[in-house]
Amino acid sequence: MFDLTGKTAVVTGGTSGIGLGIAKGFVRAGARVALVGRDESRGRAALESLGSKGAGLYVQADITDHDQCLRVIQEAEAHFGSVNILVNNAGMNIRRNVEEYTQAQWYQIIDTNLSSAFYCAQAVRDAFVRANGGKILNIGSMLSLFGTTYAAGYAASKGGIVQLGRALAVEWAGLNVQVNTLLPGWIETELTAEAKLLFPDLEAGILSRTPQARWGRPDDLAGIAVALCSRECDFITGVAIPVDGGYSVQG
Ligand code: NDP
């Protein structure tokens, strides 16, 4: 069950946090992974941390650029011989009030968190057809479900990625491509370390709001990612699954 031997995954933002946690899970399940990010030294360190020689490839790219997404898929397919899994994980946030955002900041959030997923999906389609199918895993957020302050662009992008997933799930069902979205709760990564600095009450607030009374770790996402990308979950498509210690069901 849940064996990914012989499969190749491209993980955007696979050089840090949740993406790296998922990539390590894929390698433990037998897959090979291409880790995508802009910062080369971070990429090399992430590759090293996979701990399995030959299982990984680092591809330096900025996934807000359509052509670079195409190059990422081409490099991964040329290196490994196929691409079977795409994880649209790269993301960022700029936290401020609605009236303070510039147009450039709005587009930076939307392009990083949402447009990139569309570009990478377009780019991987032919590789999936050559492989007789594939899996796309999008990374949403609790803000795919809820609203909050200082997060208009982020929440819009994370709501959008769930709907992009559903549309792709329907359109590509006939290609044997399954598309699902994970909705992480609060996970300890660089992204949330930044938020904790900005909002000193955040740490305690999340602990009291989360029934399991802890923050998640990047490897908390690995099990469900491996399962959804395995053959055993071929009949699951278009869903959005919280991985949140109960955060989204707290009354
Ligand atoms: P990190 O900041 O730890 O990692 C972000 C990753 O994305 C890095 O590898 C970064 O690499 C890459 N990245 C960012 N922008 C680009 C870009 N333009 N091109 C290529 N790569 C890029 O964040 P997390 O692991 O916390 O977040 C991963 C995903 O999970 C995001 O989509 C985030 O919104 C989502 N999420 C996180 C939660 C959390 O609590 N941590 C909760 C809910 C959702 P580099 O900078 O080198 O390019």
Side-chain angles (χ1 to χ4, degrees), residues 21-64:
I22 290 175
K24 286 179 177 172
F26 283 165
V27 169
R28 284 200 297 277
R32 294 168 302 169
V33 293
L35 309 177
V36 185
R38 293 162 301 178
D39 182 330
E40 184 168 2
S41 60
R42 180 142 72 162
R44 298 276 160 225
L47 199 55
E48 197 71 19
S49 78
L50 287 180
S52 176
K53 267 204 147 50
L57 170 73
Y58 165 61
V59 185
Q60 185 178 33
D62 181 342
I63 44 79
T64 61

Side-chain angles (χ1 to χ4, degrees), residues 5 10 25 36 45 47 134 144 170 193 240-241:
T5 303
V10 170
V36 185
L47 199 55
S144 303
V170 173
I241 301 179

Side-chain angles (χ1 to χ4, degrees), residues 12-20 36-40 42-43 58 61-64 88-92 112-113 139-142 154 158 183-192 194 215 218:
T12 71
T15 59
S16 174
I18 290 173
L20 183 55
V36 185
R38 293 162 301 178
D39 182 330
E40 184 168 2
R42 180 142 72 162
Y58 165 61
D62 181 342
I63 44 79
T64 61
N88 286 315
N89 161 81
M92 52 83 65
T112 307
N113 298 358
I139 306 300
S141 162
M142 287 296 101
Y154 188 82
K158 293 299 184 179
L183 310 178
W186 286 84
I187 313 293
E188 300 268 13
T189 68
E190 279 185 30
L191 190 72
T192 47
E194 224 177 78
W215 284 61

Side-chain angles (χ1 to χ4, degrees), residues 17-18 21-22 24 28 187 214 216-224:
I18 290 173
I22 290 175
K24 286 179 177 172
R28 284 200 297 277
I187 313 293
R214 72 167 175 89
R217 296 176 294 269
D219 67 358
D220 284 321
L221 282 293
I224 182 77

Side-chain angles (χ1 to χ4, degrees), residues 92 94 101 105-113 153-154 157:
M92 52 83 65
I94 301 171
Y101 282 103
Q105 287 168 335
W106 166 265
Y107 277 115
Q108 192 184 346
I109 298 169
I110 298 294
D111 288 348
T112 307
N113 298 358
Y154 188 82
S157 71

